[in-house]
PDB file of all heavy atoms in Angstrom:
ATOM      1  N   GLN A  52      10.277  -5.054 -13.561  1.00  0.00           N
ATOM      2  CA  GLN A  52       9.330  -4.042 -13.094  1.00  0.00           C
ATOM      3  C   GLN A  52       9.416  -3.895 -11.577  1.00  0.00           C
ATOM      4  O   GLN A  52       9.881  -4.798 -10.883  1.00  0.00           O
ATOM      5  CB  GLN A  52       7.912  -4.442 -13.506  1.00  0.00           C
ATOM      6  CG  GLN A  52       7.776  -4.485 -15.031  1.00  0.00           C
ATOM      7  CD  GLN A  52       6.343  -4.455 -15.489  1.00  0.00           C
ATOM      8  OE1 GLN A  52       5.529  -5.244 -15.034  1.00  0.00           O
ATOM      9  NE2 GLN A  52       6.025  -3.549 -16.390  1.00  0.00           N
ATOM     10  N   TYR A  61      13.072 -14.657   1.248  1.00  0.00           N
ATOM     11  CA  TYR A  61      11.807 -14.712   0.491  1.00  0.00           C
ATOM     12  C   TYR A  61      11.711 -13.490  -0.421  1.00  0.00           C
ATOM     13  O   TYR A  61      11.859 -12.352   0.037  1.00  0.00           O
ATOM     14  CB  TYR A  61      10.632 -14.736   1.470  1.00  0.00           C
ATOM     15  CG  TYR A  61       9.272 -14.996   0.842  1.00  0.00           C
ATOM     16  CD1 TYR A  61       9.007 -16.177   0.163  1.00  0.00           C
ATOM     17  CD2 TYR A  61       8.250 -14.050   0.953  1.00  0.00           C
ATOM     18  CE1 TYR A  61       7.762 -16.424  -0.387  1.00  0.00           C
ATOM     19  CE2 TYR A  61       6.987 -14.289   0.406  1.00  0.00           C
ATOM     20  CZ  TYR A  61       6.753 -15.488  -0.262  1.00  0.00           C
ATOM     21  OH  TYR A  61       5.514 -15.719  -0.806  1.00  0.00           O
ATOM     22  N   TYR A  64       7.084 -10.458  -5.981  1.00  0.00           N
ATOM     23  CA  TYR A  64       6.744  -9.268  -6.767  1.00  0.00           C
ATOM     24  C   TYR A  64       5.252  -9.255  -7.097  1.00  0.00           C
ATOM     25  O   TYR A  64       4.534 -10.138  -6.690  1.00  0.00           O
ATOM     26  CB  TYR A  64       7.615  -9.133  -8.012  1.00  0.00           C
ATOM     27  CG  TYR A  64       7.772 -10.334  -8.894  1.00  0.00           C
ATOM     28  CD1 TYR A  64       6.814 -10.644  -9.852  1.00  0.00           C
ATOM     29  CD2 TYR A  64       8.886 -11.161  -8.791  1.00  0.00           C
ATOM     30  CE1 TYR A  64       6.970 -11.734 -10.688  1.00  0.00           C
ATOM     31  CE2 TYR A  64       9.054 -12.262  -9.627  1.00  0.00           C
ATOM     32  CZ  TYR A  64       8.081 -12.545 -10.574  1.00  0.00           C
ATOM     33  OH  TYR A  64       8.223 -13.625 -11.400  1.00  0.00           O
ATOM     34  N   GLU A  65       4.836  -8.226  -7.827  1.00  0.00           N
ATOM     35  CA  GLU A  65       3.429  -7.880  -8.077  1.00  0.00           C
ATOM     36  C   GLU A  65       2.857  -7.224  -6.807  1.00  0.00           C
ATOM     37  O   GLU A  65       2.606  -7.892  -5.799  1.00  0.00           O
ATOM     38  CB  GLU A  65       2.587  -9.092  -8.495  1.00  0.00           C
ATOM     39  CG  GLU A  65       2.841  -9.552  -9.913  1.00  0.00           C
ATOM     40  CD  GLU A  65       2.417  -8.536 -10.975  1.00  0.00           C
ATOM     41  OE1 GLU A  65       1.517  -7.708 -10.719  1.00  0.00           O
ATOM     42  OE2 GLU A  65       3.003  -8.562 -12.067  1.00  0.00           O
ATOM     43  N   ARG A  71      -1.382  -8.645  -0.265  1.00  0.00           N
ATOM     44  CA  ARG A  71      -2.137  -9.766   0.306  1.00  0.00           C
ATOM     45  C   ARG A  71      -1.268 -10.573   1.258  1.00  0.00           C
ATOM     46  O   ARG A  71      -1.735 -11.023   2.303  1.00  0.00           O
ATOM     47  CB  ARG A  71      -2.637 -10.692  -0.812  1.00  0.00           C
ATOM     48  CG  ARG A  71      -3.761 -10.116  -1.639  1.00  0.00           C
ATOM     49  CD  ARG A  71      -4.214 -11.143  -2.677  1.00  0.00           C
ATOM     50  NE  ARG A  71      -5.292 -10.627  -3.489  1.00  0.00           N
ATOM     51  CZ  ARG A  71      -5.136 -10.156  -4.727  1.00  0.00           C
ATOM     52  NH1 ARG A  71      -3.936 -10.133  -5.292  1.00  0.00           N
ATOM     53  NH2 ARG A  71      -6.180  -9.705  -5.390  1.00  0.00           N
ATOM     54  N   TYR A  72      -0.008 -10.771   0.864  1.00  0.00           N
ATOM     55  CA  TYR A  72       0.902 -11.580   1.693  1.00  0.00           C
ATOM     56  C   TYR A  72       1.063 -10.956   3.076  1.00  0.00           C
ATOM     57  O   TYR A  72       0.908 -11.637   4.098  1.00  0.00           O
ATOM     58  CB  TYR A  72       2.259 -11.690   0.980  1.00  0.00           C
ATOM     59  CG  TYR A  72       3.341 -12.321   1.818  1.00  0.00           C
ATOM     60  CD1 TYR A  72       3.288 -13.678   2.154  1.00  0.00           C
ATOM     61  CD2 TYR A  72       4.419 -11.573   2.274  1.00  0.00           C
ATOM     62  CE1 TYR A  72       4.282 -14.267   2.924  1.00  0.00           C
ATOM     63  CE2 TYR A  72       5.422 -12.147   3.043  1.00  0.00           C
ATOM     64  CZ  TYR A  72       5.344 -13.496   3.368  1.00  0.00           C
ATOM     65  OH  TYR A  72       6.327 -14.066   4.143  1.00  0.00           O
ATOM     66  N   GLU A  90     -16.419 -14.261   3.792  1.00  0.00           N
ATOM     67  CA  GLU A  90     -17.330 -13.508   2.905  1.00  0.00           C
ATOM     68  C   GLU A  90     -16.863 -12.054   2.752  1.00  0.00           C
ATOM     69  O   GLU A  90     -16.896 -11.488   1.663  1.00  0.00           O
ATOM     70  CB  GLU A  90     -18.767 -13.548   3.438  1.00  0.00           C
ATOM     71  CG  GLU A  90     -19.513 -14.841   3.140  1.00  0.00           C
ATOM     72  CD  GLU A  90     -18.898 -16.066   3.832  1.00  0.00           C
ATOM     73  OE1 GLU A  90     -18.387 -15.912   4.968  1.00  0.00           O
ATOM     74  OE2 GLU A  90     -18.906 -17.153   3.230  1.00  0.00           O
ATOM     75  N   GLN A  97     -13.016  -8.751  -4.452  1.00  0.00           N
ATOM     76  CA  GLN A  97     -13.811  -8.264  -5.586  1.00  0.00           C
ATOM     77  C   GLN A  97     -13.432  -6.829  -5.947  1.00  0.00           C
ATOM     78  O   GLN A  97     -13.162  -6.508  -7.104  1.00  0.00           O
ATOM     79  CB  GLN A  97     -15.299  -8.339  -5.237  1.00  0.00           C
ATOM     80  CG  GLN A  97     -16.214  -7.682  -6.250  1.00  0.00           C
ATOM     81  CD  GLN A  97     -17.669  -7.693  -5.778  1.00  0.00           C
ATOM     82  OE1 GLN A  97     -18.303  -8.747  -5.699  1.00  0.00           O
ATOM     83  NE2 GLN A  97     -18.207  -6.543  -5.449  1.00  0.00           N
ATOM     84  N   GLU A 100      -9.963  -6.447  -7.375  1.00  0.00           N
ATOM     85  CA  GLU A 100      -9.964  -6.803  -8.794  1.00  0.00           C
ATOM     86  C   GLU A 100     -10.556  -5.683  -9.652  1.00  0.00           C
ATOM     87  O   GLU A 100     -10.077  -5.421 -10.753  1.00  0.00           O
ATOM     88  CB  GLU A 100     -10.756  -8.101  -9.027  1.00  0.00           C
ATOM     89  CG  GLU A 100     -10.042  -9.356  -8.570  1.00  0.00           C
ATOM     90  CD  GLU A 100      -8.833  -9.694  -9.448  1.00  0.00           C
ATOM     91  OE1 GLU A 100      -8.817  -9.344 -10.630  1.00  0.00           O
ATOM     92  OE2 GLU A 100      -7.893 -10.313  -8.909  1.00  0.00           O
ATOM     93  N   ARG A 105     -10.266  -2.463 -13.810  1.00  0.00           N
ATOM     94  CA  ARG A 105     -11.045  -1.388 -14.436  1.00  0.00           C
ATOM     95  C   ARG A 105     -10.486  -0.003 -14.171  1.00  0.00           C
ATOM     96  O   ARG A 105     -10.670   0.910 -14.960  1.00  0.00           O
ATOM     97  CB  ARG A 105     -12.496  -1.427 -13.938  1.00  0.00           C
ATOM     98  CG  ARG A 105     -13.254  -2.558 -14.522  1.00  0.00           C
ATOM     99  CD  ARG A 105     -14.678  -2.644 -14.006  1.00  0.00           C
ATOM    100  NE  ARG A 105     -14.937  -4.016 -13.640  1.00  0.00           N
ATOM    101  CZ  ARG A 105     -14.985  -5.007 -14.525  1.00  0.00           C
ATOM    102  NH1 ARG A 105     -14.843  -4.762 -15.801  1.00  0.00           N
ATOM    103  NH2 ARG A 105     -15.194  -6.249 -14.117  1.00  0.00           N
ATOM    104  N   HIS A 108      -5.822   0.292 -15.422  1.00  0.00           N
ATOM    105  CA  HIS A 108      -5.350   0.404 -16.798  1.00  0.00           C
ATOM    106  C   HIS A 108      -5.592   1.767 -17.428  1.00  0.00           C
ATOM    107  O   HIS A 108      -4.664   2.349 -17.990  1.00  0.00           O
ATOM    108  CB  HIS A 108      -5.880  -0.750 -17.651  1.00  0.00           C
ATOM    109  CG  HIS A 108      -5.246  -2.052 -17.262  1.00  0.00           C
ATOM    110  ND1 HIS A 108      -4.007  -2.429 -17.699  1.00  0.00           N
ATOM    111  CD2 HIS A 108      -5.639  -3.010 -16.399  1.00  0.00           C
ATOM    112  CE1 HIS A 108      -3.666  -3.579 -17.138  1.00  0.00           C
ATOM    113  NE2 HIS A 108      -4.638  -3.955 -16.349  1.00  0.00           N
TER     114      HIS A 108
ATOM    115  N   GLN B  52     -21.041  -7.220 -16.487  1.00  0.00           N
ATOM    116  CA  GLN B  52     -20.099  -8.204 -17.019  1.00  0.00           C
ATOM    117  C   GLN B  52     -20.299  -9.558 -16.355  1.00  0.00           C
ATOM    118  O   GLN B  52     -20.836  -9.652 -15.256  1.00  0.00           O
ATOM    119  CB  GLN B  52     -18.668  -7.717 -16.790  1.00  0.00           C
ATOM    120  CG  GLN B  52     -18.407  -6.406 -17.538  1.00  0.00           C
ATOM    121  CD  GLN B  52     -16.942  -6.097 -17.685  1.00  0.00           C
ATOM    122  OE1 GLN B  52     -16.218  -6.068 -16.705  1.00  0.00           O
ATOM    123  NE2 GLN B  52     -16.511  -5.853 -18.909  1.00  0.00           N
ATOM    124  N   TYR B  61     -25.475 -14.548  -0.810  1.00  0.00           N
ATOM    125  CA  TYR B  61     -24.157 -13.942  -1.048  1.00  0.00           C
ATOM    126  C   TYR B  61     -23.922 -13.829  -2.551  1.00  0.00           C
ATOM    127  O   TYR B  61     -24.042 -14.801  -3.298  1.00  0.00           O
ATOM    128  CB  TYR B  61     -23.070 -14.825  -0.422  1.00  0.00           C
ATOM    129  CG  TYR B  61     -21.686 -14.215  -0.407  1.00  0.00           C
ATOM    130  CD1 TYR B  61     -21.418 -13.031   0.267  1.00  0.00           C
ATOM    131  CD2 TYR B  61     -20.630 -14.852  -1.066  1.00  0.00           C
ATOM    132  CE1 TYR B  61     -20.139 -12.485   0.287  1.00  0.00           C
ATOM    133  CE2 TYR B  61     -19.339 -14.320  -1.037  1.00  0.00           C
ATOM    134  CZ  TYR B  61     -19.108 -13.132  -0.354  1.00  0.00           C
ATOM    135  OH  TYR B  61     -17.844 -12.601  -0.332  1.00  0.00           O
ATOM    136  N   TYR B  64     -18.734 -10.953  -7.657  1.00  0.00           N
ATOM    137  CA  TYR B  64     -18.268 -10.928  -9.047  1.00  0.00           C
ATOM    138  C   TYR B  64     -16.764 -10.712  -9.108  1.00  0.00           C
ATOM    139  O   TYR B  64     -16.123 -10.627  -8.082  1.00  0.00           O
ATOM    140  CB  TYR B  64     -19.037  -9.909  -9.887  1.00  0.00           C
ATOM    141  CG  TYR B  64     -19.166  -8.506  -9.343  1.00  0.00           C
ATOM    142  CD1 TYR B  64     -18.149  -7.568  -9.521  1.00  0.00           C
ATOM    143  CD2 TYR B  64     -20.312  -8.114  -8.674  1.00  0.00           C
ATOM    144  CE1 TYR B  64     -18.286  -6.268  -9.043  1.00  0.00           C
ATOM    145  CE2 TYR B  64     -20.449  -6.829  -8.191  1.00  0.00           C
ATOM    146  CZ  TYR B  64     -19.436  -5.910  -8.382  1.00  0.00           C
ATOM    147  OH  TYR B  64     -19.571  -4.632  -7.913  1.00  0.00           O
ATOM    148  N   GLU B  65     -16.237 -10.653 -10.336  1.00  0.00           N
ATOM    149  CA  GLU B  65     -14.794 -10.698 -10.642  1.00  0.00           C
ATOM    150  C   GLU B  65     -14.303 -12.143 -10.485  1.00  0.00           C
ATOM    151  O   GLU B  65     -14.171 -12.659  -9.379  1.00  0.00           O
ATOM    152  CB  GLU B  65     -13.980  -9.739  -9.758  1.00  0.00           C
ATOM    153  CG  GLU B  65     -14.139  -8.278 -10.139  1.00  0.00           C
ATOM    154  CD  GLU B  65     -13.583  -7.950 -11.531  1.00  0.00           C
ATOM    155  OE1 GLU B  65     -12.673  -8.654 -12.004  1.00  0.00           O
ATOM    156  OE2 GLU B  65     -14.077  -6.988 -12.151  1.00  0.00           O
ATOM    157  N   ARG B  71     -10.706 -17.157  -5.499  1.00  0.00           N
ATOM    158  CA  ARG B  71     -10.049 -17.073  -4.188  1.00  0.00           C
ATOM    159  C   ARG B  71     -11.031 -17.414  -3.063  1.00  0.00           C
ATOM    160  O   ARG B  71     -10.676 -18.080  -2.107  1.00  0.00           O
ATOM    161  CB  ARG B  71      -9.500 -15.663  -3.959  1.00  0.00           C
ATOM    162  CG  ARG B  71      -8.284 -15.319  -4.786  1.00  0.00           C
ATOM    163  CD  ARG B  71      -7.784 -13.924  -4.410  1.00  0.00           C
ATOM    164  NE  ARG B  71      -6.631 -13.550  -5.194  1.00  0.00           N
ATOM    165  CZ  ARG B  71      -6.659 -12.743  -6.243  1.00  0.00           C
ATOM    166  NH1 ARG B  71      -7.801 -12.203  -6.651  1.00  0.00           N
ATOM    167  NH2 ARG B  71      -5.550 -12.459  -6.907  1.00  0.00           N
ATOM    168  N   TYR B  72     -12.266 -16.917  -3.201  1.00  0.00           N
ATOM    169  CA  TYR B  72     -13.276 -17.153  -2.170  1.00  0.00           C
ATOM    170  C   TYR B  72     -13.518 -18.643  -1.979  1.00  0.00           C
ATOM    171  O   TYR B  72     -13.484 -19.159  -0.859  1.00  0.00           O
ATOM    172  CB  TYR B  72     -14.568 -16.424  -2.549  1.00  0.00           C
ATOM    173  CG  TYR B  72     -15.749 -16.749  -1.664  1.00  0.00           C
ATOM    174  CD1 TYR B  72     -15.777 -16.316  -0.336  1.00  0.00           C
ATOM    175  CD2 TYR B  72     -16.822 -17.476  -2.148  1.00  0.00           C
ATOM    176  CE1 TYR B  72     -16.861 -16.617   0.488  1.00  0.00           C
ATOM    177  CE2 TYR B  72     -17.903 -17.773  -1.343  1.00  0.00           C
ATOM    178  CZ  TYR B  72     -17.923 -17.341  -0.022  1.00  0.00           C
ATOM    179  OH  TYR B  72     -18.983 -17.642   0.781  1.00  0.00           O
ATOM    180  N   GLU B  90       3.683 -18.300   2.633  1.00  0.00           N
ATOM    181  CA  GLU B  90       4.695 -17.992   1.606  1.00  0.00           C
ATOM    182  C   GLU B  90       4.315 -18.618   0.261  1.00  0.00           C
ATOM    183  O   GLU B  90       4.463 -17.988  -0.793  1.00  0.00           O
ATOM    184  CB  GLU B  90       6.079 -18.481   2.045  1.00  0.00           C
ATOM    185  CG  GLU B  90       6.784 -17.563   3.041  1.00  0.00           C
ATOM    186  CD  GLU B  90       6.066 -17.490   4.387  1.00  0.00           C
ATOM    187  OE1 GLU B  90       5.483 -18.523   4.818  1.00  0.00           O
ATOM    188  OE2 GLU B  90       6.064 -16.408   5.002  1.00  0.00           O
ATOM    189  N   GLN B  97       1.236 -14.074  -6.649  1.00  0.00           N
ATOM    190  CA  GLN B  97       2.138 -13.396  -7.591  1.00  0.00           C
ATOM    191  C   GLN B  97       1.842 -13.842  -9.027  1.00  0.00           C
ATOM    192  O   GLN B  97       1.689 -13.021  -9.935  1.00  0.00           O
ATOM    193  CB  GLN B  97       3.582 -13.726  -7.216  1.00  0.00           C
ATOM    194  CG  GLN B  97       4.610 -13.279  -8.237  1.00  0.00           C
ATOM    195  CD  GLN B  97       6.020 -13.724  -7.839  1.00  0.00           C
ATOM    196  OE1 GLN B  97       6.571 -13.262  -6.862  1.00  0.00           O
ATOM    197  NE2 GLN B  97       6.582 -14.657  -8.590  1.00  0.00           N
ATOM    198  N   GLU B 100      -1.466 -12.693 -10.378  1.00  0.00           N
ATOM    199  CA  GLU B 100      -1.366 -11.291 -10.821  1.00  0.00           C
ATOM    200  C   GLU B 100      -0.660 -11.186 -12.174  1.00  0.00           C
ATOM    201  O   GLU B 100      -1.035 -10.369 -13.014  1.00  0.00           O
ATOM    202  CB  GLU B 100      -0.608 -10.458  -9.782  1.00  0.00           C
ATOM    203  CG  GLU B 100      -1.421 -10.125  -8.537  1.00  0.00           C
ATOM    204  CD  GLU B 100      -2.557  -9.155  -8.806  1.00  0.00           C
ATOM    205  OE1 GLU B 100      -2.472  -8.351  -9.747  1.00  0.00           O
ATOM    206  OE2 GLU B 100      -3.562  -9.225  -8.084  1.00  0.00           O
ATOM    207  N   ARG B 105      -0.453  -9.368 -17.121  1.00  0.00           N
ATOM    208  CA  ARG B 105       0.418  -9.440 -18.302  1.00  0.00           C
ATOM    209  C   ARG B 105      -0.092 -10.373 -19.377  1.00  0.00           C
ATOM    210  O   ARG B 105       0.183 -10.199 -20.551  1.00  0.00           O
ATOM    211  CB  ARG B 105       1.815  -9.918 -17.893  1.00  0.00           C
ATOM    212  CG  ARG B 105       2.591  -8.845 -17.225  1.00  0.00           C
ATOM    213  CD  ARG B 105       3.933  -9.329 -16.748  1.00  0.00           C
ATOM    214  NE  ARG B 105       4.114  -8.934 -15.379  1.00  0.00           N
ATOM    215  CZ  ARG B 105       4.195  -7.673 -14.984  1.00  0.00           C
ATOM    216  NH1 ARG B 105       4.138  -6.693 -15.871  1.00  0.00           N
ATOM    217  NH2 ARG B 105       4.334  -7.373 -13.713  1.00  0.00           N
ATOM    218  N   HIS B 108      -4.614  -9.256 -20.639  1.00  0.00           N
ATOM    219  CA  HIS B 108      -4.976  -8.116 -21.499  1.00  0.00           C
ATOM    220  C   HIS B 108      -4.623  -8.321 -22.974  1.00  0.00           C
ATOM    221  O   HIS B 108      -5.471  -8.103 -23.834  1.00  0.00           O
ATOM    222  CB  HIS B 108      -4.419  -6.815 -20.931  1.00  0.00           C
ATOM    223  CG  HIS B 108      -5.131  -6.435 -19.678  1.00  0.00           C
ATOM    224  ND1 HIS B 108      -6.352  -5.792 -19.682  1.00  0.00           N
ATOM    225  CD2 HIS B 108      -4.857  -6.683 -18.383  1.00  0.00           C
ATOM    226  CE1 HIS B 108      -6.779  -5.642 -18.436  1.00  0.00           C
ATOM    227  NE2 HIS B 108      -5.884  -6.165 -17.628  1.00  0.00           N
TER     228      HIS B 108
END
Side-chain angles (χ1 to χ4, degrees):
Chain A
Q52 297 198 308
Y61 189 61
Y64 49 83
E65 286 294 334
R71 288 182 180 102
Y72 171 69
E90 281 64 35
Q97 172 185 291
E100 286 290 332
R105 287 178 227 294
H108 290 279
Chain B
Q52 298 197 306
Y61 189 61
Y64 50 83
E65 286 295 334
R71 288 183 181 101
Y72 172 69
E90 281 66 34
Q97 170 184 293
E100 285 291 333
R105 284 177 229 295
H108 290 279

